[in-house]
Amino acid sequence: MTSNASQFSLRSITAADNSQMAEVIRQVSAEYGLTPERGFAVGDPSVDAMYETYATAGAAYWVVEYEGRIVGGGGVAPLAGGDGSVAELQKMYFLPVCRGQGLGYKIVLMAQKFARDQGFKQCYLETTAALKEAIALYERLGFELLTDPMGDTGHQVCEVRMIKVLD
């Protein structure tokens, strides 16, 4: 199946998207071996309630729609256990059909703008070395590697930590 970026739409998540987005997260996690028993985000209770999770102050989540189905998404929220100045880029998951279309790039830019508009000074993220394409994207967008985790995300298994100053 071939696709091009114009066939995809980006929009804010709705409650009706919860089950489809949870399925995307589970499929992508399984593809990369990111299992809940190993401590990856796929095991978070929020996976089945993404709309409710991001319908809070300082948080936002966007989904990618293709042919009437949710095929990806990503969001931002205040860093748990942080000092209030740091937002965390979270739950960036994309099915193969929408990879390489610039959609992750667009969502990260939207998340950074949202975070900046909310008064956050930095954007933090955690990922794993298995997600090489994601790490390359974050580096292209100016994120820098950190040696130690920030906040209290509950994802100690995510050994790649990055930060970007929001100017």
Side-chain angles (χ1 to χ4, degrees):
M1 170 186 342
T2 46
S3 55
N4 65 56
S6 67
Q7 296 173 297
F8 298 95
S9 61
L10 278 172
R11 61 174 174 76
S12 294
I13 194 167
T14 68
D17 300 325
N18 277 347
S19 63
Q20 286 185 55
M21 193 61 226
E23 184 55 31
V24 168
I25 292 169
R26 289 184 175 102
Q27 283 182 38
V28 173
S29 295
E31 176 185 352
Y32 286 94
L34 310 176
T35 62
E37 48 279 354
R38 289 182 50 213
F40 286 101
V42 66
D44 292 355
S46 62
V47 168
D48 290 307
M50 296 293 285
Y51 171 76
E52 293 79 5
T53 299
Y54 290 89
T56 60
Y61 198 88
W62 299 273
V63 293
V64 177
E65 197 169 17
Y66 176 71
E67 296 182 347
R69 298 282 304 160
I70 303 301
V71 295
V76 65
L79 176 64
D83 65 5
S85 71
V86 182
E88 182 186 10
L89 189 65
Q90 301 176 338
K91 304 276 193 299
M92 298 279 293
Y93 293 91
F94 300 91
L95 293 177
V97 69
C98 66
R99 293 181 195 153
Q101 305 292 323
L103 297 159
Y105 179 87
K106 286 181 182 176
I107 287 179
V108 174
L109 291 181
M110 290 166 53
Q112 289 179 144
K113 181 184 182 323
F114 176 87
R116 201 170 17 258
D117 291 349
Q118 297 292 307
F120 293 103
K121 303 298 180 205
Q122 295 177 300
C123 190
Y124 173 76
L125 67 87
E126 295 177 338
T127 190
T128 184
L131 302 175
K132 293 177 185 5
E133 298 90 346
I135 294 167
L137 168 66
Y138 302 140
E139 288 175 336
R140 279 195 308 276
L141 287 166
F143 283 83
E144 297 178 1
L145 289 170
L146 290 173
T147 53
D148 295 316
M150 292 178 67
D152 183 20
T153 66
H155 299 137
Q156 293 81 2
V157 70
C158 291
E159 77 285 5
V160 177
R161 303 157 190 113
M162 303 178 89
I163 191 119
K164 180 179 181 183
V165 172
L166 299 173
D167 35 342

